Amino acid sequence: MSEHRRKPPQPQGGGRAAARRGQSGPSSGRRAAPRGATGSPSDSYGSPSYGSDSQSSEGEERPYGSRAEARRATQRNTGSRRRAADNASRAPGGPAGPGRGRGRASTAPGKKRIIDYPRANRFGWRRWVPSWKLVSGLSLTFFGSLVALVGVGYAMVGVPNENTAAKSQNNVYYWADGKQMVATGTGVNRQNVTIDQIPEAMQYSVISAENKSFYTDPGVDFKGIARALVNMAQGGETQGGSTITQQFVKNTYLSQDQTLTRKFKEMFISVKVGTKLTKPEILQGYLNTSYFGRGAYGIQAAAQTYYGVDAKNLTPSQCAVLAGLLKGATYYDPAGNPDIDPSATKEANYKRSHDRWAWILEEMHKDQHLTDAQYQEATKKYPMPQGRKATKGMTGQISYLADTAKKYVLAHSNITETRFDQGGFQIYTTFQKDKVNALTAAVQKVQKERLDPKNREKDKYVQFGAASVVPKDGAIVALYGGAGYENNHFTNNADTSGVPVGSTWKPFVLAAAMQYGSYKTSPDGVSPLSKYNGDDNLKVRKPDGSYFLNKDNSIFRQRNESEYPWGYISLRKAMEQSINTPFVQLGVDVGMTKVRDVAQASGILLDSMSQDLNPSFAIGTSTPSAIRMADAYATFAASGEHTDPYSVTAVKEDGQELNGFSKPKVTSAIPEDVANNVTDTLQNVIQNGTAKAAKALGRTAAGKTGTTDSNKSAWFVGYTQQLSTSVAMFRENPKDAELLSMNGTAGVASIHGGDIPTSVWTEYMTAALKGKNDLGFPKATKIGEVADEAGAPSPTPTPVITPSETPSVTPSITPSETATSPSPTATETCQFTWNCSSDGGTDTGSTGGTTSSPSATETTGEGDTRGNANGGGNLFGGSTG
């Protein structure tokens, strides 16, 4: 073959393709130079290739021997650069990014991690999917730790000892001056017994009622515990143990704090109890540590407290009653416990106890723990427990003071009654010993002077309740709750509702009228000098002009105590003589909701008010306690500022003061000028009206008397700037808690607020304020506009009153009840500096005429709630309820 036809030799570097591959390497940022462009000898085609690198030590490109060699060289260069980048990225401060190669060179191992997550040899989302090794390892670690934790918890807790749990402590109460009042506890009222001394009927009554599977279950309700933990985590209420074993464990805790730690500990103990104790031992411990109410811990103490027998002598019927108490002694003790909760009355508690007693016996019969004959015998008659008894130290007024303080503690903390009765608390009260003694002495003195229950039937069952509160502070410094626990009087008359307050409610009506006005004057207030019809047997008119009707559609007529024709008189005069009809019509004109709002703002609890806002609401159908009435009148004494009444200043446990017992805040309840005008009007009640007996106090005071329908209760509430005190008197049948009429009590036709209650008040206040300055009251300023009731005569010039003038109409009273007296002078009747201009100096006794007013005796002014006189049936009834 000729030379010129021979194919020229291929360059050793692999030709143009190899050159392109070389240029595409990651380190090349430009195209390769043409052959021979560098001027180096190695640029010629025939230069030999030494080594595997594509560059010499001087950085010059070397020719390649073949295409395969060029490819290998290119791959080596690329791998080296990627490894370098990986190493740089792993080094501290190296560049960010994965930096991992894709060839064999990129799989070189780096520093091995303990947990390969995110996974190093995966890309994209696969890096975040844990391996099965990681998942299984973590699971084994978690469950192993959990088992270890349970084992440690199980080993650390001990089985509860019922004898240790029986060691309760005293609660110690202190007077306001820090001296000890009484130390009382339940340690003496518990005694453990063995299971053979507990009747089978008692054992099976709690099993049938609370834990039917007791003898077969493991002792722990894990679902119940889980629910409790979830509720606790969500901030809700926890749930107690649902098995007898769990309840036994719970009973052994002196601390009942609902915490996660306590719940877990309770669970561990319950598990251990189930494995270490037999079922009879657990049941014995439960019945020996359970609280049955009345301070009785354990079945032996309960048997003695409620039935006066040892536990072994209880009948199946009695066992069912005691088992029912475990649901909550406050609500299932048929003796009632209204001092702890007003809903726990004797009637309500008896019904709850009776229903649960019957249900438990039925369940025992279903569970074959009672034969047919035993069941029939047990259900014949409900075995009524015996009444309460006084415990050590709880006698006289101490029992009621401690009761009031206990009630306050339970209401202002998360301490349960069960925990409180276990003791260990120091309770510092507001009660002042000298004032408590003075109030007790006042009641006993008047009782001795006026009542003779041994020889006078109507003097039997007469009771008193009283309380004394500091205005602008709210501290309860004294109270009288009754004859004492030792005399089987367990109701605290100072702190219970149920006794209508009668005309002592009228100041709230007047305050509402001055603050809000009537439908005719709103928003302007009504002046206390406004005139309303004070005649007896008055038809009450609605704002639309129609009359209130009875149930039979006859017209309702409001009655006064006396038939005396007062005519149109000022509200001030009507308050002075406690005349009903003006305040009933005024209440309707103002709106009973406004009256209710003022009473509530002043301190009266809403649930103690009559829910029926009919006309009689204005004259005292509500039943607040003596404490609340004293507190509400203290709002008037404090010029409209109100503070909730309180009896406890501090509670300590193990030397640590508990939260929740700071002094209540002072609030503005009613306008200052309204409160001061009420006070000015109530001063006149003492000076010239139905409370004249209180003038014996000898210092500036204000107050109001009250008497209710059928003379079933009588009140006096009065105050100075230093003290506000209320006194209630009533008769109550101890068997059914029914109020009885006091007509004939103390040998008089009827008892009124200005009689015995005012005497008790005056006696006490004289002693309590001895040595104190007479601070008087702030001066009342003119308020409201004179808004006479429709039909009132126009003002006339001031009449001239002569001593010989006599009433134009003789009051319908007998000489033995009272005698008429000359009208009070303008100074006596009108205490304002701005008043009397519309009255012409004094109020007139009858329509349009000038007469002498009857004397301020009880028979002329204390009729509070007599209703319909037309025989049609009283739609609104009296205040007795």
Side-chain angles (χ1 to χ4, degrees):
M1 182 179 295
S2 63
E3 186 68 20
H4 67 276
R5 298 181 63 184
R6 185 182 300 168
K7 185 181 294 186
Q10 298 295 320
Q12 295 180 352
R16 296 178 180 178
R20 286 195 298 270
R21 284 194 297 271
Q23 292 169 1
S24 65
S27 64
S28 176
R30 63 186 183 275
R31 298 183 64 179
R35 295 186 184 95
T38 63
S40 171
S42 61
D43 286 339
S44 63
Y45 288 112
S47 297
S49 176
Y50 303 99
S52 59
D53 293 330
S54 62
Q55 293 182 353
S56 67
S57 59
E58 292 82 13
E60 295 178 345
E61 294 184 2
R62 292 182 178 179
Y64 301 104
S66 66
R67 295 180 179 180
E69 186 176 307
R71 285 195 297 271
R72 286 194 296 272
T74 300
Q75 290 171 354
R76 282 195 297 269
N77 289 340
T78 303
S80 298
R81 285 189 289 270
R82 287 177 178 172
R83 283 194 298 274
D86 278 348
N87 291 336
S89 68
R90 292 190 185 101
R100 303 184 186 277
R102 286 185 173 84
R104 292 177 182 176
S106 67
T107 61
K111 186 176 180 181
K112 192 173 183 180
R113 293 183 292 173
I114 296 177
I115 298 177
D116 184 21
Y117 191 82
R119 300 173 69 181
N121 60 346
R122 295 291 184 271
F123 303 95
W125 62 269
R126 291 181 178 84
R127 296 186 65 214
W128 305 100
V129 178
S131 67
W132 68 269
K133 292 181 180 180
L134 178 60
V135 173
S136 59
L138 290 177
S139 298
L140 289 174
T141 301
F142 171 77
F143 287 109
S145 302
L146 186 62
V147 171
L149 178 64
V150 171
V152 171
Y154 182 86
M156 290 182 63
V157 299
V159 175
N161 188 317
E162 61 194 82
N163 293 314
T164 302
K167 296 178 181 178
S168 61
Q169 306 176 62
N170 284 334
N171 285 326
V172 183
Y173 295 83
Y174 297 90
W175 294 104
D177 61 4
K179 295 181 180 179
Q180 182 173 314
M181 178 196 303
V182 65
T184 180
T186 60
V188 296
N189 196 21
R190 67 190 303 166
Q191 178 183 347
N192 291 344
V193 291
T194 56
I195 193 69
D196 59 292
Q197 295 176 294
I198 303 174
E200 286 190 0
M202 188 68 226
Q203 299 176 41
Y204 286 116
S205 63
V206 297
I207 290 173
S208 291
E210 302 190 30
N211 188 190
K212 289 179 180 291
S213 62
F214 170 69
Y215 276 106
T216 58
D217 63 36
V220 181
D221 179 9
F222 291 103
K223 290 183 178 179
I225 291 177
R227 285 194 303 269
L229 294 177
V230 171
N231 287 344
M232 194 181 301
Q234 294 176 344
E237 294 184 358
T238 59
Q239 299 170 345
S242 58
T243 70
I244 286 177
T245 303
Q246 287 175 260
Q247 292 181 59
F248 169 44
V249 171
K250 185 177 179 180
N251 289 345
T252 61
Y253 278 97
L254 287 181
S255 173
Q256 296 294 323
D257 294 336
Q258 299 294 331
T259 63
L260 288 173
T261 302
R262 205 217 69 162
K263 277 292 179 186
F264 276 113
K265 190 173 183 180
E266 181 183 305
M267 179 181 67
F268 288 131
I269 295 175
S270 298
V271 171
K272 197 163 190 174
V273 166
T275 59
K276 295 293 185 180
L277 299 182
T278 65
K279 291 293 186 177
E281 288 174 331
I282 294 172
L283 187 58
Q284 171 186 303
Y286 171 62
L287 288 172
N288 277 330
T289 58
S290 293
Y291 183 60
F292 290 84
R294 299 192 192 180
Y297 278 87
I299 185 59
Q300 174 65 13
Q304 288 288 347
T305 298
Y306 287 90
Y307 290 107
V309 300
D310 289 332
K312 63 182 179 180
N313 296 322
L314 288 168
T315 67
S317 188
Q318 292 171 336
C319 290
V321 173
L322 296 181
L325 292 169
L326 296 176
K327 189 172 178 65
T330 299
Y331 303 99
Y332 287 85
D333 181 354
N337 209 339
D339 294 329
I340 299 299
D341 189 330
S343 67
T345 61
K346 289 182 180 180
E347 296 78 8
N349 276 22
Y350 172 79
K351 185 179 186 308
R352 282 189 284 257
S353 177
H354 184 279
D355 292 347
R356 189 157 180 82
W357 162 79
W359 177 80
I360 289 174
L361 290 175
E362 184 178 357
E363 292 300 304
M364 291 175 68
H365 185 231
K366 288 180 181 178
D367 298 338
Q368 299 182 353
H369 299 316
L370 287 179
T371 65
D372 291 344
Q374 289 173 328
Y375 176 68
Q376 294 297 329
E377 179 65 26
T379 55
K380 278 184 178 180
K381 183 180 179 181
Y382 173 84
M384 178 65 75
Q386 61 190 14
R388 295 176 181 270
K389 296 179 181 179
T391 57
K392 182 179 179 181
M394 299 291 280
T395 57
Q397 296 308 301
I398 297 296
S399 54
Y400 306 116
L401 299 175
D403 171 81
T404 302
K406 173 184 176 180
K407 185 176 180 180
Y408 189 87
V409 170
L410 297 182
H412 290 80
S413 69
N414 59 359
I415 302 172
T416 65
E417 184 182 8
T418 301
R419 172 65 193 95
F420 186 87
D421 286 346
Q422 286 175 333
F425 297 102
Q426 297 83 50
I427 302 98
Y428 296 83
T429 74
T430 60
F431 304 125
Q432 298 180 17
K433 187 176 182 179
D434 59 337
K435 289 182 173 59
V436 171
N437 291 340
L439 186 54
T440 303
V443 172
Q444 292 176 345
K445 178 182 178 180
V446 175
Q447 280 181 315
K448 185 177 180 180
E449 293 175 349
R450 300 292 303 275
L451 302 178
D452 186 8
K454 292 183 178 180
N455 300 311
R456 201 157 38 218
E457 182 68 23
K458 287 298 184 74
D459 289 3
K460 291 181 180 179
Y461 311 136
V462 173
Q463 300 181 32
F464 290 86
S468 193
V469 173
V470 178
K472 295 185 180 180
D473 184 276
I476 307 170
V477 295
L479 57 79
Y480 182 86
Y485 284 12
E486 70 275 20
N487 292 312
N488 296 319
H489 186 90
F490 296 95
T491 301
N492 185 353
N493 291 344
D495 195 21
T496 187
S497 60
V499 181
V501 295
S503 286
T504 56
W505 195 258
K506 291 173 182 174
F508 302 125
V509 181
L510 181 61
M514 289 190 287
Q515 181 174 351
Y516 296 107
S518 68
Y519 71 93
K520 296 181 292 185
T521 69
S522 181
D524 295 329
V526 173
S527 167
L529 297 181
S530 301
K531 291 185 177 181
Y532 272 73
N533 194 337
D535 287 344
D536 185 36
N537 203 29
L538 186 73
K539 293 185 290 184
V540 182
R541 192 184 299 272
K542 298 178 181 179
D544 63 5
S546 63
Y547 294 110
F548 281 94
L549 302 178
N550 292 305
K551 291 180 179 180
D552 62 356
N553 290 325
S554 60
I555 295 177
F556 168 75
R557 293 176 179 271
Q558 180 59 51
R559 297 296 305 273
N560 295 326
E561 169 111 356
S562 167
E563 296 178 359
Y564 184 78
W566 292 98
Y568 286 88
I569 57 174
S570 70
L571 297 173
R572 179 181 175 82
K573 184 70 175 181
M575 185 76 76
E576 172 194 300
Q577 296 298 324
S578 196
I579 305 170
N580 292 334
T581 50
F583 286 98
V584 171
Q585 187 62 63
L586 178 65
V588 171
D589 292 351
V590 173
M592 295 301 178
T593 56
K594 295 291 194 302
V595 176
R596 180 192 60 196
D597 293 346
V598 168
Q600 185 177 8
S602 300
I604 303 298
L605 297 178
L606 189 61
D607 59 8
S608 68
M609 296 190 211
S610 174
Q611 301 304 304
D612 191 354
L613 302 183
N614 59 47
S616 295
F617 180 78
I619 50 176
T621 56
S622 298
T623 60
S625 68
I627 290 176
R628 285 290 171 173
M629 284 301 288
D631 178 65
Y633 271 51
T635 303
F636 299 139
S639 296
E641 293 184 345
H642 172 253
T643 309
D644 280 334
Y646 67 101
S647 58
V648 175
T649 58
V651 176
K652 293 183 179 180
E653 181 183 16
D654 297 329
Q656 299 297 317
E657 190 167 327
L658 306 183
N659 295 327
F661 300 99
S662 56
K663 183 184 297 186
K665 295 181 179 179
V666 178
T667 61
S668 179
I670 56 178
E672 180 179 354
D673 57 344
V674 170
N676 290 341
N677 272 275
V678 170
T679 293
D680 186 274
T681 303
L682 297 187
Q683 282 182 260
N684 188 53
V685 173
I686 291 178
Q687 292 300 315
N688 305 298
T690 57
K692 276 186 175 181
K695 291 174 68 175
L697 179 62
R699 63 174 64 229
T700 307
K704 183 69 188 75
T705 57
T707 309
T708 57
D709 187 36
S710 301
N711 203 207
K712 291 181 179 178
S713 64
W715 287 74
F716 181 68
V717 188
Y719 55 91
T720 65
Q721 281 209 61
Q722 295 101 324
L723 283 178
S724 176
T725 303
S726 64
V727 178
M729 177 182 177
F730 56 95
R731 287 183 71 213
E732 185 178 60
N733 188 330
K735 293 183 179 180
D736 55 17
E738 180 185 358
L739 292 179
L740 304 173
S741 174
M742 290 189 291
N743 289 333
T745 296
V748 298
S750 59
I751 297 293
H752 297 88
D755 189 5
I756 293 179
T758 301
S759 297
V760 171
W761 182 90
T762 305
E763 191 76 27
Y764 161 70
M765 292 288 278
T766 299
L769 296 174
K770 186 177 181 179
K772 301 290 195 305
N773 294 328
D774 184 353
L775 302 180
F777 291 112
K779 190 174 182 180
T781 58
K782 185 174 181 179
I783 188 172
E785 64 176 85
V786 176
D788 296 340
E789 181 186 359
S794 300
T796 57
T798 303
V800 177
I801 303 176
T802 61
S804 61
E805 197 168 29
T806 58
S808 58
V809 180
T810 303
S812 58
I813 50 178
T814 62
S816 62
E817 291 176 312
T818 185
T820 59
S821 61
S823 298
T825 65
T827 303
E828 292 173 324
T829 304
C830 306
Q831 301 299 313
F832 298 103
T833 58
W834 50 268
N835 66 353
C836 300
S837 60
S838 65
D839 274 53
T842 59
D843 292 309
T844 57
S846 60
T847 305
T850 305
T851 65
S852 300
S853 299
S855 63
T857 60
E858 313 318 312
T859 54
T860 59
E862 275 301 299
D864 289 335
T865 55
R866 284 198 298 155
N868 189 11
N870 60 11
N874 189 353
L875 171 62
F876 310 111
S879 60
T880 305

